[in-house]
Amino acid sequence: MADGGGWSTIESDEGVFTSLIENLGVKDVQFEELISLDADTIRSLSPVYGVIFLFKWIRETPSPTPSQPLDGTYATNPPENLFFAAQTIQNACGTQAILSVILNQDSPATSTHPIAIGPELRAFKDFTTGFPPDLRGEALSNSEAIRTAHNAFARASPFVDETVRGPHDEDGDVYHFIAYTPVGGVLYELDGLRPYPIAHGPCDADSFPDKLIGVLQRRIARYPEGETRFNLMAVVRDLRVRARETGDAELLEREARKRRAWAWENTLRRSNFVGFIGEMVKGVVGLKEREGPGAYEKWVEQAKGETQKRLMTRRG
């Protein structure tokens, strides 16, 4: 895999993912976090275009049949309308998984409510039509518009270079995003680190929730008992559209509050408060120094004393 190339790590969050695709021109689609493996919950969000699955990356036990994955079957000759890109760059797997759903659900042939992907992604998909997965991955990695939208939600930190870590970094836990979506009557697992899409058998929009839960349960069972660090995000039609169509004022207000919260949280994510905190500390220190000799040292010792009292109170 290539180096980071300016792609930063982004957080797995429904507000982040929704705003990211809206910045790319996608209309009437949002993400909903699923807190349990429950088919009825997925069904209640219908139409569901697919899901994004985040998990801790581990070296898996090799498949008994090297030419096939541990679960499902490699689709070595996938349908022409299936968008699948190899992951050729680090840190882009979140956005790549998102696009693996969005760009496969944009026509009446794949969805009863096809996604309006907008002119930017339409031009990208048309340009890469017919490309093999590796060239399609390179095109995605080199897309300035997609990289800009992705990096708009990068972690704000002056101390960590997010572009130097990859899935083989052994210094800490590393996580990976993949997508599951039904295309052409088949459930596909789209993982850019695999050589091909993985087919999990017949599946349509109605059977997708139950079929998906079975696949995820088998995958999670391969992890040590007690492992809970998974995240599942459903890609659904904008719930505000449903609320307007059905006249559900309560749902519309709830979604409006959610959008306001997302906007506030995303504003905070884009902000780096380290400089502000540094200037505030310098201002307080300067104020104490102007109070006279010894005022700063006295203030520090007083703060230490108060901290010690709080620690003793907690232990008590």
Side-chain angles (χ1 to χ4, degrees):
M1 219 171 357
D3 61 26
W7 290 74
S8 301
T9 301
I10 62 172
E11 183 180 351
S12 178
D13 178 86
E14 55 191 5
V16 167
F17 286 2
T18 301
S19 297
L20 191 158
I21 62 171
E22 288 177 345
N23 287 352
L24 284 169
V26 177
K27 303 293 185 183
D28 297 335
V29 175
Q30 72 181 70
F31 290 78
E32 283 289 304
E33 185 171 5
L34 302 173
I35 59 176
S36 64
L37 290 178
D38 179 58
D40 288 337
T41 299
I42 298 175
R43 205 172 282 113
S44 70
L45 296 169
S46 182
V48 178
Y49 300 109
V51 300
I52 309 299
F53 184 51
L54 173 68
F55 57 92
K56 180 181 176 182
W57 191 90
I58 61 171
R59 293 185 183 277
E60 296 183 334
T61 303
S63 171
T65 306
S67 61
Q68 292 298 334
L70 289 173
D71 189 30
T73 305
Y74 279 135
T76 55
N77 292 298
E80 291 184 1
N81 65 330
L82 179 67
F83 177 88
F84 174 70
Q87 185 179 331
T88 62
I89 199 165
Q90 297 171 6
N91 300 327
C93 61
T95 293
Q96 185 157 335
I98 292 170
L99 295 181
S100 292
V101 174
I102 300 296
L103 297 184
N104 278 308
Q105 299 291 331
D106 64 324
S107 74
T110 54
S111 175
T112 55
H113 295 87
I115 296 175
I117 61 175
E120 189 69 52
L121 291 182
R122 174 61 61 197
F124 171 78
K125 184 176 181 180
D126 290 346
F127 172 70
T128 59
T129 296
F131 283 18
D134 56 343
L135 287 183
R136 190 173 275 165
E138 288 291 346
L140 192 158
S141 301
N142 291 323
S143 169
E144 185 65 30
I146 296 174
R147 182 170 62 240
T148 299
H150 171 100
N151 285 343
F153 298 94
R155 300 175 190 171
S157 172
F159 305 120
V160 180
D161 181 359
E162 297 289 353
T163 68
V164 299
R165 291 187 60 189
H168 301 289
D169 190 341
E170 298 179 355
D171 295 333
D173 293 336
V174 179
Y175 295 85
H176 184 52
F177 295 89
I178 61 175
Y180 292 91
T181 188
V183 178
V186 175
L187 174 59
Y188 286 101
E189 175 183 328
L190 303 175
D191 179 354
L193 295 182
R194 301 284 188 174
Y196 306 101
I198 298 175
H200 288 283
C203 179
D204 57 19
D206 292 334
S207 61
F208 175 69
D210 294 296
K211 185 80 173 182
L212 172 71
I213 295 303
V215 172
L216 290 176
Q217 286 175 335
R218 292 194 297 273
R219 185 181 190 106
I220 291 173
R222 301 205 294 263
Y223 280 77
E225 186 176 356
E227 176 62 62
T228 60
R229 288 171 291 182
F230 304 101
N231 182 267
L232 190 62
M233 206 83 65
V235 189
V236 305
R237 191 180 182 213
D238 191 329
L239 296 178
R240 296 174 301 178
V241 175
R242 180 203 293 185
R244 295 187 188 103
E245 290 176 346
T246 60
D248 191 335
E250 183 179 350
L251 175 59
L252 188 59
E253 175 57 28
R254 185 165 67 245
E255 289 302 309
R257 289 197 303 270
K258 184 192 297 182
R259 294 292 178 133
R260 289 193 293 269
W262 287 351
W264 171 246
E265 291 165 1
N266 287 336
T267 298
L268 295 179
R269 285 186 178 95
R270 295 188 185 98
S271 303
N272 184 352
F273 294 101
V274 173
F276 168 74
I277 294 171
E279 291 300 316
M280 183 178 67
V281 170
K282 285 194 292 185
V284 172
V285 170
L287 180 63
K288 291 297 178 182
E289 288 178 340
R290 287 194 294 272
E291 289 181 2
Y296 172 72
E297 288 78 7
K298 181 180 178 180
W299 173 60
V300 171
E301 292 302 320
Q302 186 178 21
K304 288 180 179 178
E306 292 297 327
T307 301
Q308 191 64 31
K309 285 180 183 179
R310 285 196 292 271
L311 290 174
M312 294 300 291
T313 300
R314 291 174 186 170
R315 290 171 183 168

